[in-house]
Amino acid sequence: MQAKTQSAPAPRRWSLRSIAILVLAWLILQIGGLFTPGLLDDVDSIYIEIAREMLRRGDFITPYINGVRFFDKPPLMYWMAAASMRIFGPYDWAARIPLAVAVLALLIAVYALGIRLFSDNSPTNNPDRGGFYAALAMATSIGPYLYTRFYIPDILLALWMTLAVHLFLIALDRLQPKSQPNPSYQSLLPLRRSALLPCLAFAAVMALNVLTKGLIGLVFPIGFVLLYLTITKQLHLLPRLHLISGTAVFLAIAAPWHVLAAVRTPAIPLPAGLGLPATGGWAWFYLYNEHVARFLGRRIPHDYGQVPIPLFWLLSALWIMPWATFMPGALADHIHSLREHARTTIREQEASLSLLLWTLLVLGFFTLSSRQEYYNLPALPALALMAAGLLARADAGEAAPIRSALRWSAWFLVPLTTLIAFICGYFAITAPHAAKGTDIASLLAANPEFYNLSLGHLFDLTGDAMGLFRGPLAAVAISMLAIGLGSYLLRRSGRTYAANLTLAAAMTVTLLAAHEGLARFYPILGSKSLALAVNHAGIQPNDLIILDGELTSDSTLVFYTGHQVHLINGNVNGLWYGSFWPDAPHIFETEQGLRELWSGPRRIFLFTYNPTARTRDLATLGPVRTLATAGGKTILTNR
C-alpha cells in the first residue's frame, strides 16, 4: 500500500493549553469521584478486598478473598490497589487512585497517538487538534466514565492497546528503507533511529496487558501487528522487530507471577460429578477455564451473562457518545482512504488502516466469544480517534468534514438530546417528592432478568423513584440542550472549536449528574452503611457476620468491617473452586448451622434480603433484632 501524493507534514507539537484542558476534565471527573459513593458489591469490592488481603497476608502471588483462594484474574489490578493502600491507608478512595491515574495515562496516550495520525490534517497553528479531540472524547464519553466508577481492568486494556499500536507504528517507521524517492516521505520517518527501543517497550506493554487480564493481552497486540503487516505486504519485516529481545523482556515481566502462582497452587484431587478434571490447580482453572473455556462459553461455573451480538455492537457506539455522532462520516472517510490509497498520504493510510483494524479486531474477537457489555472498551480509543480526525479536518476548514459534522449534529444529535432533555425535564418536574428517609428499595420494581447486565438495576427504576433524582435529572436536561442545540448553533456559525468544547463541557455536567445519581442509587448497589452499622455496634473478634447468599451479594461487608463473612448456601461461583483447597476456612454454613449458631453463645450479625422470613424462622431460637436496613437489605442480630 503506497501513496502517490504527499502533503508536507505539519509539525507535531504538544499544546500546553490542550493538556491543561484534558487535566482539568480529568480532575473534575476522576479525582472528584474518588470519595463517593462507597464500594459496590460484586467485582468492585471483590478486587479491592483481594488487594487489602494481599497487604494483610504479605502474599502478593496468590489472591485470596474472604480467606479463600481466588483464581479468576491476574494480579496487576490487585497490586495497584494494594500499593496505593499501603501509601494512603486501607480506604476505598485510596484503592481507587490507581484506576484514576490510569485514565489520565490513557488520555495522554490517546492524545499522543492522535497527534501522530492527524497532525497533517489539523489546523496549521494547532497540529495537536486531532489528538486533543480524541483524548477529550475519551475523557467525556459515557463508557469510559461509567466503567471507571468501579474497579475493573478494562480501561487499562484500552491504555495498553493504545500504547501498543503507537509503539508498533513507531517501530515500523524505523524499519523503512533509508533512501526513498520521495523526500516528503523520508521526512516523516526517523530513519536513523533504531527500532529496538519501541519494540522492547511494546513487549513490556504486552506483558502488563497479560498481567491485567490474561492471555487476551497477547491476542490483541500480536493480532494487530500480524494483520497490519499482512495487509500492507510488509510481513517480511517481522523478523526485524527484535523478536528475541522482545520475548525476553515480555517473559521477564509476565512470567514470574505465572510460574509462582502455578507452583504455590499445584493440582489437587477434585470432586467427581461436577464437570471438573480428576485433578486441577491454578493452571487448569486460570489458563484453561478462565481463557479457553470462557471463550467457548464452557467455563465452570457458568456465572456470567451473555450480551447479544447486536446489542454488543450498539453499545460500542453508545459508550463513545456523544462523540459517536461524528463516526459515520469518519468511517466513510477512512474506508474511502483505503480504497483510494493512490490519492491519499501515507499518514492518512496509516490512520485509516490502524483504526479500522484495531476496532474490528476487538469487536470481532468478542463477537465470536463470550462477551459482557463493557468488553468493547479496548476499542473505544480507536473510535474516539476516528471521530476526532474528522473534527480536526473540520477545524482545518475542509468542506466535506464540516458538512458531515453539521449534518449529523442537525439530524441525529439535536433530536436525540432534545428528546432526552424533554424526558429528564419531565421527570424532574413531575416526579413525586419522596418522604425524608425513604429507602430507595421501596420505590423500585425488581427486574432480575436484567441483572446479568452490569447496569441492569437501572431497569428497576419507576416513576416514583425518579423523585429521588430530581436534581441530577434537571442537570442532565439542561446539559443535553447544550450538547445538542448549543453545539450545533456554534458549529453552524463556523465556530467548530467552541462547539466541541461546549459539547465536552456539557458532557462533563451530564457525567457529574450521573455520578450523583449513582450515589443516590448506592444503597441498592452497595452496603457501606450496613457495614458501618455493624462496626458501630462494636463487633468483637468472637462475633460472627453471616451473609444470606453468595459473597457477591454483599462483598462490601468484608472490606468495611475487616471481618471474615460466613455464607449460607453461598459456596457458588467465585469462591467455589477455591473452597476445595485444604487451607479454605470454614465459612460455608447450612440452614441447620445457622439455627445452631443463632441459639448459641456468639453474637450473630445476619445480612439478608428476606428479613420477614428469617425473623419468623429464627424467633423460636432466640431474640431477633433489626440492627439496620438500607437498599432492601437488612442486618439482623441475636443480641
Side-chain angles (χ1 to χ4, degrees), residues 1 5-7 116-118 120-121 188 333-334 337-338 340-341 343-354 393 398:
M1 185 178 292
T5 62
Q6 295 295 331
S7 59
R116 173 193 173 89
L117 297 179
F118 300 120
D120 294 359
N121 305 111
L188 289 173
D333 285 350
H334 286 301
S337 175
L338 293 181
E340 304 293 332
H341 60 272
R343 284 179 278 207
T344 56
T345 67
I346 287 177
R347 194 61 76 205
E348 287 171 339
Q349 296 168 37
E350 178 186 85
S352 298
L353 179 58
S354 297
R393 290 172 57 203
E398 293 189 35

Side-chain angles (χ1 to χ4, degrees), residues 24-37 139-142 144-146 148-149 468-477 479-480 483 503-521:
L24 178 62
W26 173 76
L27 286 170
I28 293 172
L29 291 172
Q30 296 295 328
I31 300 303
L34 285 180
F35 304 97
T36 58
T140 59
S141 291
I142 294 173
Y145 185 75
L146 284 182
T148 50
R149 298 311 87 208
L468 297 174
F469 301 91
R470 296 166 68 93
L473 287 168
V476 170
S479 62
M480 282 293 126
I483 290 170
L503 192 153
M507 268 307 295
T508 300
V509 174
T510 297
L511 296 177
L512 290 175
H515 184 83
E516 176 60 24
L518 175 64
R520 299 184 186 193
F521 201 80

Side-chain angles (χ1 to χ4, degrees), residues 79-305:
W79 291 346
M80 291 164 55
S84 184
M85 288 190 286
R86 171 65 65 86
I87 296 171
F88 299 107
Y91 308 113
D92 49 14
W93 59 266
R96 290 167 168 159
I97 289 176
L99 197 60
V101 173
V103 172
L104 179 61
L106 174 61
L107 300 184
I108 300 303
V110 169
Y111 177 72
L113 181 54
I115 292 174
R116 173 193 173 89
L117 297 179
F118 300 120
S119 60
D120 294 359
N121 305 111
S122 296
T124 303
N125 295 331
N126 302 104
D128 75 319
R129 195 59 62 81
F132 172 64
Y133 285 154
L136 198 61
M138 288 301 296
T140 59
S141 291
I142 294 173
Y145 185 75
L146 284 182
Y147 290 106
T148 50
R149 298 311 87 208
F150 45 99
Y151 199 74
I152 58 174
D154 297 82
I155 203 70
L156 270 180
L157 300 187
L159 169 62
W160 305 140
M161 192 63 187
T162 303
L163 292 174
V165 168
H166 199 169
L167 289 166
F168 166 70
L169 294 177
I170 292 173
L172 195 59
D173 276 355
R174 298 182 181 186
L175 292 178
Q176 301 300 328
K178 290 190 177 182
S179 60
Q180 294 288 341
N182 191 329
S184 65
Y185 179 91
Q186 224 177 33
S187 67
L188 289 173
L189 306 175
L191 299 175
R192 295 181 174 83
R193 301 180 65 184
S194 168
L196 177 61
L197 186 58
C199 288
L200 297 184
F202 178 92
V205 165
M206 191 163 59
L208 294 174
N209 208 341
V210 169
L211 289 173
T212 300
K213 207 172 180 180
L215 298 182
I216 200 170
L218 287 171
V219 172
F220 288 160
I222 291 178
F224 179 86
V225 168
L226 293 178
L227 289 171
Y228 190 99
L229 292 177
T230 300
I231 293 170
T232 58
K233 299 180 181 180
Q234 300 181 87
L235 202 55
H236 63 280
L237 295 178
L238 185 62
R240 297 176 57 192
L241 290 173
H242 300 278
L243 301 182
I244 295 177
S245 54
T247 301
V249 168
F250 172 83
L251 291 176
I253 297 173
W257 175 79
H258 289 80
V259 172
L260 290 172
V263 169
R264 294 194 181 184
T265 309
I268 62 170
L270 297 174
L274 301 176
L276 298 170
T279 61
W282 171 88
W284 176 85
F285 191 92
Y286 178 77
L287 296 177
Y288 171 76
N289 197 47
E290 272 299 308
H291 291 88
V292 178
R294 182 183 282 271
F295 178 84
L296 298 173
R298 299 175 181 174
R299 182 184 183 272
I300 303 172
H302 192 86
D303 62 343
Y304 52 91

